[in-house]
């Protein structure tokens, strides 16, 4: 199990990841863009989102730091552009923790199957911290 930091940027994730990779002497990671995601007929992808970074990750001294651009039209405040990502192999642990953290908080995305995970969701807890939950299937990206 791990709790990883997830940093969001306002369209300049590639620049940030390149900078951090250079700073820490790392190879540039694999990057997935919003345009590479499977299309959804009810939610057409705006042209300006296609080249934005949906997900990438650097392992900095043993800690995963994940990155993405905010989706066009979503709020962005520099300095508040992070969340904590709980990655776990046990679905029951994810579900239980999600429901405990949502008490007094706000569900951002209900736990559900996505194209990248059998179980994913996010919640902003009563203290304003956003938590992402991801079932670890053993597959890696980035």
């Amino acid at each position: 199990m791990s709790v990883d930091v997830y940093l969001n940027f306002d369209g300049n994730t590639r620049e940030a990841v390149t900078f951090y990779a250079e700073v820490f002497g790392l190879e540039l990671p694999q990057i997935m863009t919003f345009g590479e995601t499977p299309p959804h007929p009810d939610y057409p992808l705006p042209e300006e989102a296609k080249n934005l970074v949906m997900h990438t990750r650097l392992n900095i001294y043993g800690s995963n730091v994940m990155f993405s651009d905010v989706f066009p039209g979503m709020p962005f405040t520099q300095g508040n552009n992070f969340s904590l990502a709980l990655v776990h192999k046990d679905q029951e642990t994810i579900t239980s923790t999600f429901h405990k953290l949502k008490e007094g908080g706000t569900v951002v995305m209900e736990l559900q199957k996505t194209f990248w995970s059998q179980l994913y969701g996010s919640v902003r807890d009563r203290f304003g911290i956003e938590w992402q939950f991801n079932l670890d299937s053993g597959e890696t990206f980035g």
Side-chain angles (χ1 to χ4, degrees):
M1 177 171 66
S2 65
V3 175
D4 301 326
V5 66
Y6 208 113
L7 303 175
N8 297 111
F9 294 87
D10 196 20
N12 59 341
T13 295
R14 286 177 199 275
E15 178 184 353
V17 169
T18 300
F19 172 75
Y20 293 126
E22 289 174 11
V23 165
F24 295 104
L26 303 169
E27 291 185 27
L28 286 176
Q30 181 181 0
I31 292 176
M32 175 185 276
T33 65
F34 286 106
E36 294 172 305
T37 63
H40 191 292
D42 296 333
Y43 304 101
L45 189 65
E47 193 63 37
E48 65 270 21
K50 290 183 179 178
N51 289 322
L52 293 176
V53 175
M54 182 183 163
H55 178 77
T56 190
R57 174 176 54 211
L58 292 173
N59 188 284
I60 301 173
Y61 303 134
S63 294
N64 286 318
V65 180
M66 297 179 283
F67 304 82
S68 72
D69 285 311
V70 294
F71 199 78
M74 298 299 290
F76 175 83
T77 304
Q78 190 167 345
N80 292 338
N81 52 319
F82 75 94
S83 59
L84 298 175
L86 177 73
V87 180
H88 202 286
K89 292 179 188 275
D90 182 59
Q91 183 171 336
E92 188 175 312
T93 298
I94 287 177
T95 302
S96 172
T97 307
F98 178 91
H99 289 293
K100 289 176 185 175
L101 284 172
K102 81 176 189 180
E103 290 178 23
T106 305
V107 173
V108 177
M109 182 176 174
E110 285 289 350
L111 288 172
Q112 59 191 276
K113 182 178 180 178
T114 64
F115 72 88
W116 69 86
S117 178
Q118 290 297 311
L119 189 64
Y120 175 84
S122 63
V123 64
R124 184 167 283 107
D125 71 20
R126 63 184 179 165
F127 301 105
I129 303 299
E130 185 169 345
W131 293 84
Q132 296 184 55
F133 296 83
N134 200 45
L135 184 64
D136 182 0
S137 66
E139 295 179 23
T140 59
F141 174 81

